[in-house]
Amino acid sequence: QVQLVESGGGLVQVGGSLRLSCAASERTFSSYRMGWFRQAPGKEREFVAAVTWSGHNTYYAASVKGRFTISRDNAKNTVYLQMNSLKPEDTAVYFCAAGDGRYFGSQAAMRADEYDYWGQGTQVTVSS
């Protein structure tokens, strides 16, 4: 059972930056593919970004590509989401997720059912 704890959320102005972190309890963290999802009020949870076990393969939603960067540090059991040029529509609760297995393709990476463990979420609010 992997426990995931997100941090780094908060209130930021339009155009600002935030870095989210997700710390995993599992010592075999490198065995898991990792992703970030978000959910805005009244909307369904949506895919944001994902990374395979080594960090070499990354995937992004079209709405964040070029502004967000996902990375991981397997030595620290942590995955990050660097968010730049934030927009009001980025306001949401951001969730970290871990999936059993090291690899997935671009289509699978976007599917919530490809992930087995979820964090509690961290609120990101972008004010205009």
Side-chain angles (χ1 to χ4, degrees):
Q1 182 80 15
V2 180
Q3 293 184 333
L4 303 172
V5 179
E6 302 97 336
S7 62
L11 176 64
V12 64
Q13 291 187 335
V14 169
S17 298
L18 281 175
R19 187 175 83 155
L20 304 183
S21 299
C22 173
S25 62
E26 181 60 48
R27 291 181 179 180
T28 57
F29 176 70
S30 61
S31 299
Y32 295 91
R33 53 203 184 204
M34 301 296 297
W36 287 96
F37 287 72
R38 67 186 181 187
Q39 188 167 19
K43 295 187 177 181
E44 294 186 354
R45 190 171 298 190
E46 65 173 2
F47 168 75
V48 175
V51 63
T52 53
W53 75 279
S54 65
H56 290 161
N57 296 95
T58 57
Y59 308 99
Y60 296 94
S63 59
V64 307
K65 197 168 186 178
R67 299 188 297 123
F68 290 12
T69 303
I70 188 171
S71 62
R72 64 190 295 164
D73 185 339
N74 288 339
K76 296 183 178 180
N77 290 359
T78 302
V79 63
Y80 305 97
L81 184 68
Q82 177 67 44
M83 306 186 295
N84 298 329
S85 302
L86 283 161
K87 304 175 181 180
E89 51 264 44
D90 294 319
T91 295
V93 177
Y94 283 71
F95 297 90
C96 171
D100 288 323
R102 292 183 166 185
Y103 299 100
F104 45 15
S106 58
Q107 294 300 313
M110 295 186 288
R111 289 169 40 186
D113 62 4
E114 286 288 325
Y115 299 84
D116 304 284
Y117 310 100
W118 294 81
Q120 293 300 306
T122 185
Q123 176 70 46
V124 171
T125 303
V126 184
S127 64
S128 57

